[in-house]
Amino acid sequence: MAPLLHITEQDLSFYNTLGLRSQARAFLRLHSTRNLQDLSETAARYPGVVILGGGSNVVLAPRLDELVVHVATRGVALVDDDADSVLVEAQAGESWHNFVELCVERGWHGLENLALIPGTCGAAPVQNIGAYGVEQSDFFHSLVAWDMRRSMQVEMGPGDCLFAYRDSFFKRAEQGRWVILAVRYRFPREWTPKLGYPDLARHPALALAGPGVTPRDVFNAVCDIRRAKLPDPAELANAGSFFKNPVVNARTFRKLRDLHPGLVAYPVDDGSHYKLAAGWLIERAGWKGRRLGPVGMHERQALVMVNHGGASARDIQVLADVIRAEVATRFGVHLEQEPVALGSMAGEAG
Ligand code: EPU
């Protein structure tokens, strides 16, 4: 049997950074893109398909009846090179952080602000990962995807992907339809450091480097900041920010700021809207470092939900609902969950 079609039951505990116990009825590791036609045909035998990359932005139900496809293809290549820019392609299963580090080493600059983000390259466009003033869409060129419905390979540009803050076409598309196979980024040869984000602007090593700052300096500083603030999923299970930073119109922002003068917010869309720091709202609601059962909000970053051990998707959902309700009551603001819930919770004991 071709390795592509090797389907097994699989404990997914180590395939999701929240460390939730989850069992896949049918699991397949995609090592190659040679046999995608068979993948579509095989998938038709299951009630649905779940595409899993690094599992760093998912809340997995205890049991998945869908066909779980773990994308594990590897490789990074320079595909085009001219006087002004380089075009680089990463296979979907590559670790995002390793890709960013490789780019820094090879002199392909732009993504260094996105160092240490857990997950794979194929997942990066799905939620349009972003940090410290940069989003992957700033350098995105195109991607190659397999359309499970039509059994054909397609190429998609930025216009097809509908990137927005923590959002893309893929977040709203039919689940399991699109298997992202490779992503391409274009990096200008001339590098402009993006140091405006407050944590970067005040980082001592960058202040010291001044105008001589290098991409490696930025990469190191971002790693430093993240390590100081965010829990390493290998040590304390988590899926990064659990909620998006909510965007409100300027009038709502002004009303809120009058009531809560310390409110942390950043203008967006030329000041017609404001992005509120959800971590601040959650902290003020009293949840920073607080637990409910086996889960809680992190002690240094209240936006990050952590699993202290043995949590299920149900525990995650209970705390998420409590926080959403308390933030809504206190501030009148609705928090939207960021990680994608996969698998049915139906029939689960409470
Ligand atoms: N804040 C608090 N209390 C907290 C956390 C934050 O008051 O517990 C306030 C502080 O004023 C802080 C501000 O909120 O200065 C912003 O916090 P931070 O710089 O940590 O950024 P964030 O808005 O909470 C977002 C992303 C992160 C990304 C950082 C840096 C979202 C949902 N999250 O967090 O992404 O690393 O900015 O750019 O947009 C992730 O998605 O997993 C993630 C970590």
Side-chain angles (χ1 to χ4, degrees), residues 222-264:
V222 169
C223 291
D224 220 36
I225 295 164
R226 291 187 73 100
R227 287 194 179 109
K229 212 171 200 179
L230 296 166
D232 177 352
E235 284 160 23
L236 182 56
N238 73 87
S241 303
F242 196 83
F243 299 102
K244 295 183 188 182
N245 284 327
V247 176
V248 298
N249 63 37
R251 200 165 142 259
T252 306
F253 161 71
R254 281 193 290 271
K255 265 171 44 192
L256 270 172
R257 193 201 39 201
D258 290 347
L259 288 169
H260 310 280
L263 180 72
V264 179

Side-chain angles (χ1 to χ4, degrees), residues 109-332:
H109 300 320
L111 295 180
E112 46 291 325
N113 296 48
L114 303 184
L116 225 53
I117 296 182
T120 57
C121 292
V126 176
Q127 63 161 146
N128 187 25
I129 57 171
Y132 305 101
V134 173
E135 289 183 341
Q136 68 86 42
S137 53
D138 297 344
F139 297 92
F140 179 87
H141 173 273
S142 57
L143 60 77
V144 181
W146 178 254
D147 180 354
M148 296 282 270
R149 171 107 77 83
R150 290 179 297 166
S151 283
M152 62 185 277
Q153 194 160 302
V154 292
E155 218 175 294
M156 293 169 144
D160 304 308
C161 294
L162 306 177
F163 294 124
Y165 167 62
R166 299 292 151 119
D167 199 22
S168 76
F169 163 80
F170 301 100
K171 272 218 144 168
R172 279 161 285 141
E174 184 189 322
Q175 188 194 295
R177 174 166 176 186
W178 304 95
V179 186
I180 295 174
L181 303 173
V183 285
R184 299 192 191 116
Y185 293 96
R186 188 177 283 287
F187 304 113
R189 289 196 177 277
E190 197 173 317
W191 179 62
T192 316
K194 299 227 176 56
L195 306 175
Y197 196 87
D199 280 355
L200 275 181
R202 54 177 173 249
H203 191 275
L206 298 184
L208 198 68
V213 67
T214 65
R216 174 58 77 173
D217 294 334
V218 178
F219 175 88
N220 288 339
V222 169
C223 291
D224 220 36
I225 295 164
R226 291 187 73 100
R227 287 194 179 109
K229 212 171 200 179
L230 296 166
D232 177 352
E235 284 160 23
L236 182 56
N238 73 87
S241 303
F242 196 83
F243 299 102
K244 295 183 188 182
N245 284 327
V247 176
V248 298
N249 63 37
R251 200 165 142 259
T252 306
F253 161 71
R254 281 193 290 271
K255 265 171 44 192
L256 270 172
R257 193 201 39 201
D258 290 347
L259 288 169
H260 310 280
L263 180 72
V264 179
Y266 309 93
V268 290
D269 303 336
D270 297 328
S272 65
H273 289 80
Y274 281 78
K275 193 189 276 181
L276 310 180
W280 187 91
L281 301 173
I282 296 168
E283 179 173 350
R284 290 308 142 121
W287 278 97
K288 190 171 190 169
R290 193 163 140 203
R291 293 189 188 196
L292 182 64
V295 292
M297 303 315 283
H298 192 245
E299 59 192 15
R300 291 193 301 275
Q301 202 343 341
L303 190 50
V304 176
M305 194 184 290
V306 295
N307 172 8
H308 292 284
S312 68
R314 176 78 56 193
D315 299 314
I316 301 281
Q317 233 50 74
V318 167
L319 178 55
D321 288 346
V322 169
I323 288 185
R324 250 195 299 259
E326 290 193 14
V327 166
T329 307
R330 221 178 150 114
F331 302 104

